[in-house]
Amino acid sequence: VIGAHYDHIGTNNRGQFNGGADDNASGSAAILELARAFQSLKEKPKRSILFILFTAEEVGLLGSRYYVKAPLFPLNKTVAMFNLDMIGRNHVDQLNILGKYQYPALFKIVEKINKQTVNMKFNFSVEDSVRNSDHFPFMRNQIPVIFLISGLHDHYHTPRDTPDRIVTEKLEKVTQLVFLSLWETANIPAGTSLQKKGEKK
């Protein structure tokens, strides 16, 4: 599963519209481009990839919580989940990532691809916000996740989160990293577990 949320917070108490270019049109745009790219491949991955845009993340992860209750594919056959939430701002070569400590086998795939291609600097400060985005319902159902976010900024949840402030080079690099990581994950040998050692699904 590769997902992002497309809802935002609407207008503020002064009637100003919060467009949410980074939060989370950036992640939503990446999902659409990833779906287009995989669809255009002549050689398809061994596993199915579900591209999904969740609603109501901002009011309590309602879309992703609903999905795990009524999945399109059985959760016990879902190998991993990648979540993109705000991937278009801050330094072009910096990316926050969650999953290194929870799911080291899955993280190693992303780490290897990163070193071979875009070579972004990962930091792990997002570990303290593990419950705050659409990967969390999947984690609660023992599905390994990778959560990618470029970090908060002064325009977060304000009308100033506009498309002209998106760092397009960064958005492209993150999308490339995710494309190659998805390809690798969708082609791991049958029976390979990405669960943390000792954890049963």
Side-chain angles (χ1 to χ4, degrees):
V1 176
I2 171 71
H5 73 89
Y6 67 83
D7 65 306
H8 199 45
I9 59 172
T11 56
N12 62 21
N13 56 14
R14 297 190 295 278
Q16 296 172 306
F17 178 67
N18 297 283
D22 189 34
D23 184 19
N24 184 32
S26 62
S28 298
I31 297 297
L32 293 174
E33 179 60 16
L34 287 162
R36 185 206 63 79
F38 272 96
Q39 180 62 33
S40 70
L41 293 176
K42 291 182 179 179
E43 180 186 354
K44 304 299 183 184
K46 294 176 181 178
R47 288 184 170 84
S48 299
I49 301 176
L50 176 63
F51 303 88
I52 186 166
L53 294 174
F54 301 107
T55 191
E57 187 266 2
E58 298 285 3
V59 292
L61 317 183
L62 301 187
S64 52
R65 289 182 193 276
Y66 176 80
Y67 177 82
V68 298
K69 291 179 181 177
L72 293 173
F73 299 97
L75 293 183
N76 63 7
K77 293 186 177 180
T78 301
V79 173
M81 190 273 180
F82 287 72
N83 181 32
L84 309 181
D85 189 352
M86 299 174 61
I87 55 171
R89 293 291 300 272
N90 298 326
H91 193 281
V92 67
D93 290 321
Q94 173 271 331
L95 186 63
N96 296 344
I97 186 167
L98 182 145
K100 176 180 180 179
Y101 305 113
Q102 295 90 342
Y103 308 106
L106 181 58
F107 174 77
K108 283 179 182 177
I109 292 174
V110 182
E111 185 179 41
K112 180 186 77 171
I113 296 295
N114 181 59
K115 289 178 179 177
Q116 292 173 347
T117 56
V118 295
N119 200 30
M120 301 186 80
K121 180 181 179 182
F122 292 157
N123 73 64
F124 308 101
S125 59
V126 74
E127 296 287 343
D128 59 2
S129 59
V130 65
R131 298 171 180 265
N132 294 344
S133 193
D134 288 312
H135 57 277
F136 185 61
F138 291 84
M139 291 182 73
R140 293 194 69 182
N141 282 272
Q142 298 184 331
I143 295 170
V145 307
I146 291 291
F147 173 38
L148 302 173
I149 181 170
S150 59
L152 298 181
H153 46 76
D154 291 341
H155 304 146
Y156 170 71
H157 281 196
T158 77
R160 294 175 294 164
D161 185 4
T162 52
D164 57 294
R165 293 185 165 98
I166 294 294
V167 182
T168 54
E169 181 185 354
K170 180 171 189 174
L171 185 55
E172 182 179 358
K173 290 177 75 168
V174 176
T175 306
Q176 181 184 1
L177 172 64
V178 174
F179 175 86
L180 295 170
S181 299
L182 278 174
W183 174 263
E184 185 95 357
T185 304
N187 284 291
I188 59 175
T192 302
S193 174
L194 297 174
Q195 294 289 329
K196 194 169 183 179
K197 209 168 187 179
E199 183 177 26
K200 293 183 179 179
K201 187 174 178 182

